Amino acid sequence: MKTFLQEELVNSFHIGSTSVPGLKAKPIIDILLVVKDISELDTYSEQFENLGYEVMGEFGIEGRKYFRKGGDNRTHQIHAFQYDNIQEIERHLSFRDYLRQNPEISKEYGELKSKLAEKYPTDIDGYGDGKNDFVKKIEKKALEWHWSVR
């Protein structure tokens, strides 16, 4: 991927639950790409598809390009943002870093995710909606923490 995105890629990060040691996680790797020009990613659709990714467009988040691999048994997700979309980039990285630095919050999040996975084994929307309030609360704390420790 880095080869065909070399001209556009600014940086890449491992995010999501699998990026937090000890956090219960589905076996899905989340990747955050920071790119020079988000609209240029449309020209790489064929290369992403050749790697087995579905090209999903913004998929609910304005300014994002989303790619997923594995269909119903998803293995990877790519969330791409333009370098100046600071709000979205910082939201993802701060959430990850906050969980890494706060094992008790990470454990609480893992327990919530486990309960939701049991309650909604085949309902990804129910699972996501069940996490939403917790995630939003922690994102707020994480962003405050991020700017207070810099």
Side-chain angles (χ1 to χ4, degrees), residues 135-148:
V135 168
K136 294 296 181 205
K137 179 179 81 172
I138 298 306
E139 280 178 352
K140 182 178 186 292
K141 289 181 179 183
L143 284 166
E144 291 170 355
W145 168 82
H146 169 84
W147 292 109
S148 71

Side-chain angles (χ1 to χ4, degrees), residues 43-123:
T43 65
Y44 297 101
S45 293
E46 187 175 335
Q47 287 94 328
F48 278 105
E49 288 170 350
N50 289 339
L51 292 173
Y53 285 91
E54 293 176 80
V55 178
M56 307 297 294
E58 288 187 332
F59 204 65
I61 298 178
E62 189 175 335
R64 171 180 76 166
K65 296 291 183 181
Y66 176 70
F67 308 86
R68 65 183 180 194
K69 186 175 190 175
D72 289 341
N73 296 310
R74 193 173 31 211
T75 60
H76 295 78
Q77 319 189 102
I78 297 174
H79 312 265
F81 295 98
Q82 189 165 296
Y83 72 93
D84 57 356
N85 192 338
I86 302 302
Q87 177 66 30
E88 289 296 333
I89 295 167
E90 289 296 339
R91 178 175 72 85
H92 285 86
L93 295 177
S94 295
F95 185 79
R96 177 201 66 188
D97 294 347
Y98 186 78
L99 290 178
R100 285 178 174 176
Q101 294 298 314
N102 292 277
E104 68 286 346
I105 302 294
S106 179
K107 182 179 178 192
E108 184 181 347
Y109 184 43
E111 290 169 357
L112 172 63
K113 288 171 31 147
S114 290
K115 288 177 188 171
L116 291 169
E118 286 178 29
K119 186 174 182 178
Y120 303 107
T122 60
D123 179 5

